[in-house]
Amino acid sequence: MEGLTTARRDFGPHKVVPVKVHQHKPFVPSEENMDLLTTYKQDYNSYAVCRADPIKPRDNKYPCGDKMECLPTYKADYLPWNQPRRELLRPEHKYRPASTRFDSRTTHQDDYPIKGLVNTVSCKPPPVPKLCNIPLEDLTNYKMSYVAHPVEKRFVYEAEKFRPCEIPFDSLTTHKESYRGLMGEPARSLKPPARPPGLGTPFSNTTEFRDKYQAWPTPQVFSKAPITYVPPEEKMDLLTTVQAHYTYPKGAPAQSCRPVLPIKKSSRFESSTTTKDDYKQWASMRTELVKPTPQLNLPTEPLDCLTTTRAHYVPHPPSNTKSCKPPWSGPRGNIPVEGQTTYTISFTPKEMGRCPASYPEPPGYTFQEVDPFGHRMYRPVSQAGSRQSSRLSVGDSGNPNQRELSVSV
């Protein structure tokens, strides 16, 4: 096979010439001055600045003294109807307060009177002696059938040792490395100076752009001319490698092996298609279900409803197990507790007196009155005639300095 391709035959090597770099002409600034004219400067005509007159009317110092007669639309169009007033549909007021004085007693005071101490009855069942003194047997099926297997030693993974980095830590951050802390110039305010009012100078046509703008030298734009296309003189061969070298002179187009269907010419419409003629329906039989072969023979006799426990359980007499409780050494004597505590040293026993508020009528006190808050006021018998008294709370009955008892009802 020849190793010559179309590209090698048609596209021959050409001589490579170095690219010429174009030298730009030196810039020569223009001697003419920039006119700095704008559309605003050419078209805007300055006018004399004058103060505009106010649109608001002046206030009248002498107002009119006549009374204004005004009738609004609501009063003129919406007039009241001449209809009688309807009576209120509410029930009659039949409540009459009682003429007797209110005793200020509640349902709780009437239904729950103060009673004395009540002796409760213990609901604890009486101790019953044991019916059987035989200890219970503590032998179970778990203790008899349990086999203690040796426990395998647990595999513990060893932790890998920490290997510190050999390179020392430089303790540098991006901020420490890049930030130098140079002192910058303070920001200058670009706000124009305030113009004093009252100046009639005309509008200045100079702007910040005209004052600070500098004309930059504009270089000449270099445009490279495109290289003219020179078509090749030889005619291009459009044959590929396959078309040139792989030829088969005896080749012919493939013929179809399918027989030609005869064309039926009749007046009747032929509804036969290729699918109906070539794909005929097969004579198929319905397959039976594949059922598993039963391997369990069900009994024909009825179920006797006898469980495994009923069939194999053998009742045994109850056996008492051995008690592990330590024997009772007998009642202990009145041995005092050894050791002194702060409570035992500093505690002073006091007599527990009964609260006077628990009595229906406190002994040593006489009933005086019921205050507006519902408290029953009592005074000591020895000081019944004195008006100077102070209230005594329910928990401070043992204080002799308190001379008045207040009971909440």
Side-chain angles (χ1 to χ4, degrees), residues 111-295:
D111 297 344
Y112 297 92
I114 300 176
K115 299 180 181 180
L117 300 177
V118 180
N119 297 328
T120 58
V121 181
S122 177
C123 298
K124 184 178 181 180
V128 180
K130 296 182 180 180
L131 300 179
C132 183
N133 296 328
I134 303 173
L136 181 65
E137 184 180 358
D138 59 346
L139 189 62
T140 60
N141 295 338
Y142 181 79
K143 292 182 179 181
M144 295 172 59
S145 305
Y146 177 74
V147 179
H149 297 280
V151 181
E152 297 180 359
K153 187 177 181 181
R154 184 177 179 183
F155 179 74
V156 181
Y157 291 91
E158 296 182 359
E160 297 181 359
K161 295 182 179 179
F162 173 72
R163 298 179 180 179
C165 185
E166 299 178 357
I167 304 173
F169 186 65
D170 54 358
S171 68
L172 288 178
T173 60
T174 308
H175 183 78
K176 291 182 179 180
E177 188 174 0
S178 302
Y179 179 71
R180 300 181 181 179
L182 302 179
M183 296 297 294
E185 297 180 359
R188 294 180 300 175
S189 177
L190 300 178
K191 184 178 179 182
R195 184 181 180 184
L199 297 179
T201 56
F203 182 74
S204 178
N205 55 0
T206 59
T207 60
E208 183 182 1
F209 181 82
R210 295 176 180 175
D211 296 342
K212 296 184 179 181
Y213 176 78
Q214 297 177 3
W216 289 68
T218 306
Q220 185 179 2
V221 180
F222 172 73
S223 59
K224 184 179 179 180
I227 302 174
T228 57
Y229 173 73
V230 180
E233 299 178 357
E234 300 179 0
K235 188 177 182 181
M236 183 177 179
D237 189 4
L238 300 177
L239 290 177
T240 61
T241 308
V242 178
Q243 294 177 357
H245 299 286
Y246 295 94
T247 57
Y248 189 71
K250 298 181 180 180
Q255 296 181 0
S256 176
C257 298
R258 183 177 180 182
V260 182
L261 297 176
I263 301 175
K264 300 179 181 179
K265 297 181 179 180
S266 60
S267 59
R268 187 179 178 183
F269 178 72
E270 194 69 28
S271 62
S272 61
T273 59
T274 308
T275 305
K276 289 183 179 181
D277 296 344
D278 297 344
Y279 298 93
K280 301 295 182 182
Q281 186 177 5
W282 295 358
S284 60
M285 298 295 293
R286 185 177 182 182
T287 57
E288 298 181 357
L289 297 176
V290 181
K291 296 181 179 180
T293 305
Q295 300 179 1

Side-chain angles (χ1 to χ4, degrees), residues 389-400:
S389 60
S390 61
R391 293 187 179 182
L392 180 64
S393 62
V394 177
D396 297 338
S397 61
N399 192 351

Side-chain angles (χ1 to χ4, degrees), residues 2 15 39 82 91 96 143 160 187 209 233 246 263 280 296 322 334 363 369 371 373 401 405:
E2 186 181 2
K15 186 178 180 180
T39 309
N82 298 326
R96 297 293 183 271
K143 292 182 179 181
E160 297 181 359
F209 181 82
E233 299 178 357
Y246 295 94
I263 301 175
K280 301 295 182 182
L296 179 64
K322 183 179 179 180
N334 296 329
E369 60 179 354
D371 61 353
F373 299 99
N401 298 328
L405 179 65

Side-chain angles (χ1 to χ4, degrees), residues 9 19 46 62 88 101 136 185 261 332 343 359 384 387:
R9 183 178 56 188
V19 180
S46 57
Y62 306 99
L88 298 177
R101 185 179 179 183
L136 181 65
E185 297 180 359
L261 297 176
R332 299 181 60 184
Y343 182 78
Y359 293 95
R387 293 186 178 181

